[in-house]
Amino acid sequence: MDSIFSGEGHSIGGFLRERWTEMCDGLGLPQAMSGPVTDQVHDLLRPWADRPVGQVCPFPSYVAGDGFPAEMSVKWSQGRPELRILFEALGANRPVTAASNRTAAAALTDRLAGEPLVSLDRYGKVADVFAPGAGPGTVPVPVWHSLAWQPGQPPAFKIYFGLYAVSLQERYALVSEAMERLAMGAAWADTCARVARGTQADGAERELEFFALDLDTSARARAKVYYRNHTSSVAVLEQMASLARAHEPDRARSAFRTLLGAGPEAAGKAPLTCLAFRPDAACADESTTYFRVSSFTASDEEAAARIGALMVHEGLDSQRHHALLHAVAPRPLNQIRGLQELVSYRSLGHDGDVSVYFRFPVYPLQAAQPSPPPQPSHSTLLEDESL
């Protein structure tokens, strides 16, 4: 990924505020509508928002490949677009540490309790599962937050637990305990068994990487589990997506081919699968597939063309994405690569939505996050009866 932005002279919060404002402008949102949410985003980043961007990141975050602690995205569907920011709160300590980040994240979660439509009830049921020292490892489980805003509605919030910091067996143990407490144990057991069978059949590693919760009051609030697929096989992505009840395979297959082309090994580097769960269901309810579009396109111009084709496939107005892209791109699209880092597709029966994830690389790539710890072999996982 190219370092296509300069953060010189900016604080981290100021840099993100500028990007958020540009995205609101690109979406055609008037200041009267977007201004209060822009201010809220900046407020959520305190107290670390005033840190200078600098030449190297204060803490190499897993959020982005260059270590920058935030990304923004837009979900395109048949309704109004949804603008989102995902970030890792940075600790007050100097130097920043994983432990101080965890403390900052806990304080932010407590602050969110006062937001409209936010409920921490489900979070309260599982918080101790992922708490520092809860497992055999000594590394704190990283915690991220996201804000998602659809114009005319209060922002919605999610919380993410980074499982990549612990061993693979421990990841499954933590998620299994959390799912039991959330009355989603049966659906999770079904998913584990089917993922294991898929791995046994094709040999492709599906790495459990994140656990997330909707922090809202709805009875249909979700728990979400993210897998990193260590393969470019479209067949593997289709198998993972098919684990969800709402997945429509023919529509999704056509959407994948529209984005990727007809080649069976064209899915790019380490595509992701998110499976969403709801209480008392027998299996996963929704699936979302994420493609690292920067890994199979030569420029953001090519990426925009592929994303536009996918949006047209779903009956969405691709010109709106192009207008947004030109609002945030620092240089002509044929001269940059990596601004559009990920594109996701979620099939919901006869409907689908498309999300585009924007990264704002400002640091040298060597500042990227450390590698996850060594993992056991596939055979070890398949033989573990606890899965």
Side-chain angles (χ1 to χ4, degrees), residues 168-169 196 199-200 203-205 375-385 387:
L168 202 51
Q169 294 101 325
T199 300
Q200 196 167 36
E205 181 183 0
Q375 304 304 325
S377 67
H378 298 304
S379 59
T380 301
L381 293 178
L382 294 171
E383 293 165 3
D384 187 346
E385 294 181 356
L387 303 187

Side-chain angles (χ1 to χ4, degrees), residues 76 311 316-324:
W76 300 101
M311 292 181 68
L316 303 170
D317 183 0
S318 63
Q319 292 305 311
R320 300 188 70 188
H321 172 66
H322 282 275
L324 170 62

Side-chain angles (χ1 to χ4, degrees), residues 8 40-41 61 67 77 84 91 109 112 137 146 170 185 214 221 227 259 286 296 305 312 330 332 336-337 369 372 382:
E8 186 175 356
Q40 183 177 17
V41 169
S61 176
S77 61
R84 306 175 295 192
T109 305
L112 293 179
S146 73
E170 183 66 8
D214 292 339
Y227 287 88
L259 178 70
E286 300 172 1
F296 55 82
V312 170
I336 58 176
R337 175 173 168 267
Q369 71 277 356
L382 294 171

